[in-house]
């Protein structure tokens, strides 16, 4: 079953604008990770935020985590055409056998 | 390049057949994970192996099986294939992580399986 739910399902913005994607999950987690997938290709790890962290930065990426609301957001600043991809959040549940439960993803399109 | 390799890249076969997908993890990674990605189900975790032993099982059908060999490469066997098994199959690997949490997973390029 999918624990993470991304919102929106699709997002289209102009190059240079910021893109924000949200992820909600259901159970307590060890950490939450964001991955990017270019069409039909493998997933690429972007950033990992642990349950005791609230915010993390990596280049143009900023991730926040609110464990009380069971939600996370991924912000991509100054978007580029190369950022066009699907973005997935993945949670590492504390309980249960599953490792890295992925959401359905947000399809991001950056228009030149 | 993640360092994880998967073969073959594409596989076309018929219903009822059996196929084997192969994965070589990154050098030094002991854990291998298998995922299925389809349009209607999204990315589904199938199974994890750690140093040759099954560690976790997800939504894996009984028709599917996997193993990890002493050299740490893994194979996913899909049998009695059905049309609905058509999907992208990804392998991922990770380094050992203490404390029970899952560290970063590095994904291979995937095998696209088409069942006709």
């Amino acid at each position: 079953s999918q624990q993470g739910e991304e919102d929106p399902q699709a997002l289209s913005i102009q190059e240079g604008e910021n893109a924000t994607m949200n992820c909600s999950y259901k159970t307590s987690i060890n950490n939450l990770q964001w991955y990017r997938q270019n069409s039909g290709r493998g997933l690429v790890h972007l950033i990992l935020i642990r349950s005791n962290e609230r915010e993390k930065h990596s280049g143009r990426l900023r991730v926040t985590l609110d464990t009380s609301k069971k939600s996370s957001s991924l912000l991509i600043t100054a978007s580029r055409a190369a950022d066009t991809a699907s973005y997935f959040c993945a949670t590492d549940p504390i309980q249960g056998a599953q490792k890295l439960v992925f959401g359905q993803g947000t399809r991001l399109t950056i228009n030149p | 390049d993640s360092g994880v390799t998967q073969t073959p890249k594409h596989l076309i076969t018929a219903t009822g057949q059996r196929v084997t997908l192969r994965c070589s993890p990154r050098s030094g990674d002991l854990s291998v994970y298998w995922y299925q990605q389809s349009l209607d189900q999204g990315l589904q975790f199938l199974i994890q192996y750690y140093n040759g032993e099954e560690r976790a099982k997800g939504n894996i059908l009984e028709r599917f099986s996997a193993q990890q060999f002493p050299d740490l490469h893994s194979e996913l066997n899909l049998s009695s294939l059905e049309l609905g098994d058509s999907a992208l199959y990804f392998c991922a690997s990770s380094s050992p992580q203490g404390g029970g949490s899952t560290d970063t997973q590095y994904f291979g390029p995937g095998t696209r399986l088409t069942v006709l």
Side-chain angles (χ1 to χ4, degrees):
Chain A
S1 63
Q2 301 291 340
Q3 150 134 282
E5 293 184 4
E6 283 93 340
D7 169 55
Q9 289 188 338
L11 179 62
S12 180
I13 60 173
Q14 294 300 120
E15 194 166 20
E17 294 179 340
N18 296 340
T20 299
M21 289 158 273
N22 302 296
C23 168
S24 60
Y25 57 93
K26 298 173 184 173
T27 64
S28 297
I29 59 173
N30 292 307
N31 63 60
L32 185 145
Q33 303 179 34
W34 285 91
Y35 286 79
R36 183 187 73 219
Q37 183 182 33
N38 290 84
S39 182
R41 306 190 64 165
L43 279 75
V44 174
H45 179 262
L46 295 177
I47 198 165
L48 180 153
I49 186 166
R50 303 198 185 277
S51 59
N52 60 353
E53 297 175 312
R54 292 296 166 257
E55 187 169 314
K56 206 161 183 180
H57 297 254
S58 176
R60 293 183 296 112
L61 305 180
R62 178 185 146 217
V63 168
T64 62
L65 178 65
D66 186 336
T67 52
S68 66
K69 294 181 179 178
K70 292 187 170 55
S71 67
S72 173
S73 68
L74 171 67
L75 168 67
I76 303 174
T77 60
S79 63
R80 305 168 182 169
D83 295 329
T84 294
S86 291
Y87 291 81
F88 295 86
C89 70
T91 53
D92 174 19
I94 289 175
Q95 291 185 330
Q98 287 210 20
K99 304 290 185 178
L100 283 196
V101 183
F102 284 82
Q104 293 283 13
T106 292
R107 174 70 190 163
L108 175 65
T109 302
I110 308 298
N111 301 304
Chain B
D1 183 3
S2 66
V4 178
T5 60
Q6 289 187 248
T7 56
K9 285 186 179 178
H10 302 276
L11 199 48
I12 301 174
T13 188
T15 54
Q17 294 298 304
R18 172 190 170 94
V19 297
T20 298
L21 312 184
R22 182 188 167 103
C23 167
S24 292
R26 290 189 322 155
S27 177
D29 283 357
L30 301 179
S31 279
V32 169
Y33 308 79
W34 284 98
Y35 293 89
Q36 179 194 58
Q37 186 178 37
S38 60
L39 284 174
D40 56 344
Q41 293 290 323
L43 196 65
Q44 298 278 330
F45 167 71
L46 296 178
I47 197 164
Q48 178 203 0
Y49 278 82
Y50 177 80
N51 203 21
E53 301 285 330
E54 183 183 304
R55 175 63 66 90
K57 204 174 233 186
N59 303 320
I60 187 166
L61 300 172
E62 286 190 10
R63 300 183 287 110
F64 296 0
S65 65
Q67 53 185 326
Q68 185 179 28
F69 295 87
D71 67 353
L72 300 178
H73 92 269
S74 178
E75 293 182 355
L76 178 67
N77 301 296
L78 314 176
S79 61
S80 302
L81 285 168
E82 301 175 358
L83 295 177
D85 297 328
S86 295
L88 269 169
Y89 290 85
F90 289 105
C91 162
S93 73
S94 69
S95 296
Q97 171 72 10
S101 70
T102 301
D103 208 343
T104 300
Q105 292 186 15
Y106 297 88
F107 280 74
T111 293
R112 183 174 293 280
L113 174 66
T114 302
V115 182
L116 302 175

